[in-house]
Amino acid sequence: MALSPKSSSLELSISLPSFSQLSSHPSSGEHMVRDLDINQTPKTEDREWMMIAAEPYANDEDSNSCGRRRKKLRLTKEQSHLLEDSFIQKHTLTSKQKLELATFLKLSQRQVEVWFQNRRARSKLKHTEMECKYLKRCFGSLKEQNRLLQKEVEELRALNAMPASILTMCPRCERATDATDNAVKEGTATRSQSRRTISSSSSLC
DNA sequence: AATAGCACGGCAGTTACTTCA
DNA sequence: CCTGAAGTAACTGCCGTGCTA
């Protein structure tokens, strides 16, 4: 989806729903996104725009091995919002789209590129974490199922050890014969135990 | 047609910096 | 204030792909 020509000359082939709102100032028609220069010192009232001053740090004690401190900018809410909108539409951009978006946001193409790379990584990480949680839940459920089945196996083994004369329940109608009822009455076997003897029972109605 | 060299882009892993409790 | 954890912008190195000579 291309941007509205009314709002901006920027033509993205992806949908950026909020661009029309943010792209033009109501009165002047200029971009509302602040003029963000990576080499610009942040204004004191703008906490969103925090970065290390871009001057060389050749004489700075905190300089790294290259003699420069890494510059790090904090994206404004508007920038983050628009990047996020773009990401929702499309997880990867062509270089042209990157350039257009970068121009619009007053960022470098590289910054947009890096943002999308990091965003994809975060997205993947989140997905992996969710998958991990899901698998853990599955594991818990399967563990419980396994426990119940093991229990049932033990019960069946115990029943197999019983004399055949008291295991005479009909598997079709699940009605115990007199012999089984008697056994239950006498406490020799429970009904649940009797029902589980279907496979081993030989007396059918 | 096969191949080496190159440019480009994405990804994984890491680093460096900011923010906040 | 200090500190550690969390979040994230930026960097690095590797790999796959497409193009071209």
Side-chain angles (χ1 to χ4, degrees), chain A residues 158-181:
Chain A
L159 274 175
N160 263 350
M162 282 186 176
S165 60
I166 63 165
L167 304 172
T168 53
M169 180 181 168
C170 172
R172 296 262 170 81
C173 62
E174 290 197 8
R175 186 169 56 79
T177 62
D178 289 341
T180 309
D181 280 345

Side-chain angles (χ1 to χ4, degrees), chain A residues 69-85:
Chain A
R69 192 186 293 170
R70 183 187 285 184
K71 287 178 282 187
K72 184 165 181 173
L73 103 113
R74 198 81 190 159
L75 298 170
T76 64
K77 279 179 184 151
E78 289 93 344
Q79 285 171 324
S80 295
H81 185 66
L82 285 171
L83 285 163
E84 197 64 43
D85 281 348

Side-chain angles (χ1 to χ4, degrees), chain A residues 25-65:
Chain A
H25 190 276
S27 56
S28 67
E30 289 175 2
H31 292 162
M32 286 178 75
V33 175
R34 248 178 274 187
D35 190 18
L36 300 173
D37 184 344
I38 196 161
N39 293 321
Q40 183 182 359
T41 306
K43 292 173 183 171
T44 50
E45 71 271 20
D46 192 353
R47 283 172 58 81
E48 293 291 330
W49 180 239
M50 293 294 293
M51 60 170 285
I52 304 296
E55 293 302 314
Y57 288 86
N59 300 323
D60 194 328
E61 285 177 358
D62 294 336
S63 301
N64 61 17
S65 57

